[in-house]
Amino acid sequence: SQKGLLVVLKPGTYVVKAQTVTSTLKAETKITVTANFADVNTNAYYADPVLWGYNKGIVAGVGNGNFDGSTDVTRAQYITFLYRTAVAENSKNEIKDADVKQVYSDVPTTAYYAKAVQWAAQNKVAFGTGDDKFSPNATVTRAQAVTFIYRMQGSPDTGATGSTTDATAQFTDIPDNAYYRAAVTWAVN
């Protein structure tokens, strides 16, 4: 897409760390290199976003000087990336330790992602998966990821109608009533 957010949807497939960091980088952001990950080639499509995310405190390596961009991302990790991006953009988004509340039964207030899940729920970025659960350890799908980013941007009107003139018409794997249809239209446009 023109925003660089979506090339192929495949809504049931999973998101890897390299894609996560790439989708949160603003196109106009100037990169200042301060980190060197042995497994991130400087020519990789995600090299600049990884460094941007590292510099902003959004992502960290996995140890031994590696980033490990090919691993799948959980819902907890993805929401944490988005939360840290929101805080980096505006410190008013930060939830203080004393204000952390248990939003879902499977998200303890002591979990590293508790603030992020609370922020996502409060801002209608992400919802639970049913039965008072968030499913933090489930792998985030591409459909969920694009929807979370779309909601983070305020769910702008896209005119997604399900018609053949809809921007998502080029994708054969998006049902007319898919919860992520408007998000894909937004990302494509």
Side-chain angles (χ1 to χ4, degrees):
S1 78
Q2 293 172 351
K3 293 181 191 75
L5 294 176
L6 193 65
V7 177
V8 177
L9 180 60
K10 297 183 181 173
T13 59
Y14 300 124
V15 177
V16 296
K17 281 174 61 179
Q19 295 165 326
T20 298
V21 128
T22 302
S23 67
T24 58
L25 173 68
K26 293 186 182 282
E28 67 277 4
T29 303
K30 184 176 178 349
I31 305 298
T32 305
V33 178
T34 62
N36 228 357
F37 293 111
D39 62 344
V40 177
N41 183 306
T42 56
N43 295 321
Y45 76 91
Y46 56 89
D48 284 349
V50 166
L51 296 174
W52 171 82
Y54 179 83
N55 290 336
K56 295 285 190 177
I58 296 166
V59 299
V62 295
N64 298 325
N66 290 314
F67 178 71
D68 198 13
S70 63
T71 58
D72 288 344
V73 176
T74 66
R75 286 172 53 89
Q77 291 169 324
Y78 198 83
I79 288 302
T80 300
F81 288 140
L82 295 183
Y83 169 68
R84 289 176 181 167
T85 301
V87 170
E89 290 176 351
N90 185 344
S91 63
K92 291 181 181 180
N93 287 315
E94 186 171 8
I95 296 174
K96 305 297 181 207
D97 290 342
D99 296 330
V100 176
K101 297 174 179 61
Q102 186 163 10
V103 182
Y104 298 101
S105 63
D106 60 348
V107 180
T109 58
T110 55
Y112 78 87
Y113 50 85
K115 290 179 186 180
V117 171
Q118 182 176 333
W119 165 83
Q122 288 173 346
N123 290 283
K124 298 179 175 40
V125 171
F127 303 105
T129 55
D131 296 325
D132 192 34
K133 306 270 189 225
F134 183 74
S135 303
N137 297 318
T139 305
V140 71
T141 66
R142 292 173 60 91
Q144 291 169 343
V146 73
T147 301
F148 295 159
I149 295 172
Y150 167 72
R151 290 175 183 159
M152 187 175 173
Q153 297 302 313
S155 301
D157 183 27
T158 63
T161 62
S163 73
T164 55
T165 58
D166 188 323
T168 59
Q170 63 186 303
F171 301 107
T172 59
D173 54 357
I174 302 176
D176 289 347
N177 62 349
Y179 73 88
Y180 50 87
R181 185 173 198 87
V184 172
T185 299
W186 169 81
V188 169
N189 289 335

